[in-house]
Amino acid sequence: MAASANADALKDQVAPTGKLRVAIAISPAGGAFWSTRTENGYAGVPVDLGREMAAQLGIPVEYVVHQNSGQITEAAAKSTWDVTFLPRDPERETKMTFGPIYEVADATYIVKPGSTIASFAALDQDGVKVAAVNATTTMRGAIAHLKRAKVTGYQTYDEIFDLLKGGEIDAFALSRDQLNAMARKIPGTRVLDETFKQTVTAVAVPLDHPLAAAFATKFMTDAIANGTLRKAYDSNGLKGSPVRTEVK
């Protein structure tokens, strides 16, 4: 009886609607954070992890779609989602409770086709226009890093992709693996060699949900150890990417 009561208390806190509502952000960027639309719904590392978490709880999964991680963060206090997987930083730690890190990504910049910019020093000049996805960890990092270039936030990856391709911005700040994939789609672009910050991605739940936080932490710890995370990587175009759980 006690075990059943504990299970019911957990479900009441982690999934009060009877479904596990997983917040995801949609973009063609891929990687460990972004998800994509498919003919049958959604695909991505967070999609697979959320589905597995719901299965462990014995309840259905529902995906709550956002355009970026900033929107997910702003919705944390609105009870519109139950769990998410997104980049962690000090600002977000005031709005949600994070569990184990499951990805460490190097953030840098890609420059527009034909640009002569080849270093951070050349990039950080007056009049240089740098884009980032609005209200994200990477955007905050780029603003802190660049002293002279102007960083502007946009709501979607797709919007920035088109601006970069058309030469309307000079550079885009994002994780290196995503920018390398972008470079293959936009001939003439260059991903800079330097790294300005490491972004860590982790499971998270809204604040003041201790049972949900404990469950999410155990789930992610087990997923890293038992191959569930590796399987999610391999199923979503990251077969050659190592699982990085610690910042160097």
Side-chain angles (χ1 to χ4, degrees):
M1 291 291 290
S4 176
N6 289 340
D8 288 343
L10 171 62
K11 288 182 183 179
D12 286 346
Q13 188 175 104
V14 75
T17 65
K19 295 180 180 180
L20 183 67
R21 298 171 299 171
V22 181
I24 58 174
I26 297 296
S27 160
F33 161 66
W34 294 100
S35 298
T36 58
R37 294 187 190 276
T38 68
E39 291 183 1
N40 301 315
Y42 308 101
V45 172
V47 171
D48 289 2
L49 293 176
R51 185 188 305 116
E52 181 63 26
M53 186 181 285
Q56 286 193 18
L57 291 164
I59 57 177
V61 65
E62 177 182 322
Y63 299 106
V64 183
V65 175
H66 300 78
Q67 292 182 311
N68 56 56
S69 59
Q71 291 184 354
I72 295 174
T73 302
E74 290 308 308
K78 299 177 182 177
S79 300
T80 56
W81 57 262
D82 304 310
V83 67
T84 191
F85 305 84
L86 83 172
R88 187 187 83 191
D89 67 14
E91 181 171 324
R92 289 182 179 163
E93 288 172 347
T94 68
K95 299 179 179 180
M96 59 190 83
T97 303
F98 285 89
I101 295 167
Y102 71 89
E103 167 72 352
V104 181
D106 299 328
T108 187
Y109 307 93
I110 187 172
V111 297
K112 68 182 181 182
S115 174
T116 59
I117 295 171
S119 67
F120 285 177
L123 178 73
D124 194 13
Q125 300 296 325
D126 294 336
V128 173
K129 295 182 287 186
V130 178
V133 180
N134 195 52
T136 59
T137 298
T138 304
M139 179 174 172
R140 285 189 283 274
I143 290 171
H145 174 241
L146 297 173
K147 309 305 180 188
R148 298 172 67 181
K150 179 177 175 56
V151 179
T152 301
Y154 297 87
Q155 285 299 320
T156 68
Y157 171 101
D158 287 344
E159 183 180 8
I160 300 172
F161 181 99
D162 290 340
L163 290 171
L164 187 76
K165 186 175 181 180
E168 296 176 63
I169 55 172
D170 296 297
F172 177 20
L174 201 65
S175 68
R176 184 177 302 280
D177 58 342
Q178 292 162 344
L179 294 181
N180 284 337
M182 179 182 277
R184 291 191 288 272
K185 297 177 181 178
I186 309 178
T189 54
R190 178 194 298 114
V191 178
L192 302 187
D193 292 335
E194 299 156 280
T195 295
F196 69 85
K197 82 177 265 92
Q198 287 192 313
T199 300
V200 298
T201 304
V203 65
V205 300
L207 289 177
D208 303 320
H209 288 62
L211 296 178
F215 175 78
T217 293
K218 184 179 186 306
F219 170 84
M220 206 66 232
T221 301
D222 292 345
I224 292 166
N226 65 22
T228 297
L229 179 60
R230 179 72 264 170
K231 183 180 178 182
Y233 270 44
D234 293 349
S235 299
N236 291 284
L238 299 173
K239 210 158 196 174
S241 301
V243 171
R244 300 171 66 188
T245 59
E246 296 182 3
V247 179
K248 293 181 179 179

